[in-house]
Amino acid sequence: MTLALTAAAAAPIAVGASQRPAHAAKASVSVSAKEFKFALRPTSARHGSVTFTVKNAGTIDHDFKIAGRATPKIKRGKSATLTVNLKKGTYSYLCTVPGHAAAGMKGNFKVS
Ligand SMILES: [Cu+2]
């Protein structure tokens, strides 16, 4: 009885320790931008360094702004990356081209 309980308790701890790196998490998010919508994959991340790779899958210029930082304007078919350090919280993102956010190029990104 005592032996069985000890083994069961020890196993999950060992697995968790091997999967959790000691350094801060680094996340990658792929962002597709088009008229007039963003698609993020995934839509959330752990806090730490998050790199957004933004591809313009539309026909006109777009950019991607989050946490006060933005990519340059991205031409159709081109990509840009933006790395930001995010704390826990919910961050709104948008395209800063006039009218685009209002048309739907905005959303919320969750950081845990
Ligand atoms: Cu746009």
Side-chain angles (χ1 to χ4, degrees):
M1 186 67 178
T2 308
L3 255 175
L5 277 176
T6 305
I13 292 168
V15 169
S18 67
Q19 289 178 339
R20 206 165 292 157
H23 55 81
K26 278 187 182 157
S28 297
V29 177
S30 76
V31 181
S32 173
K34 63 179 180 183
E35 302 78 32
F36 287 96
K37 200 175 191 313
F38 281 119
L40 276 66
R41 200 175 62 234
T43 56
S44 62
R46 297 286 306 276
H47 64 279
S49 176
V50 182
T51 298
F52 296 90
T53 301
V54 186
K55 174 157 193 192
N56 185 348
T59 56
I60 58 176
D61 291 7
H62 296 294
D63 66 5
F64 179 81
K65 183 176 185 181
I66 189 166
R69 304 264 315 279
T71 65
K73 295 281 186 295
I74 307 166
K75 300 275 184 202
R76 61 186 292 186
K78 302 291 185 187
S79 296
T81 60
L82 178 69
T83 298
V84 288
N85 214 352
L86 301 177
K87 297 183 166 82
K88 290 180 189 181
T90 299
Y91 295 81
S92 57
Y93 57 82
L94 72 150
C95 176
T96 71
V97 177
H100 288 201
M105 296 191 78
K106 60 181 177 179
N108 290 314
F109 185 75
K110 290 195 174 73
V111 177
S112 60

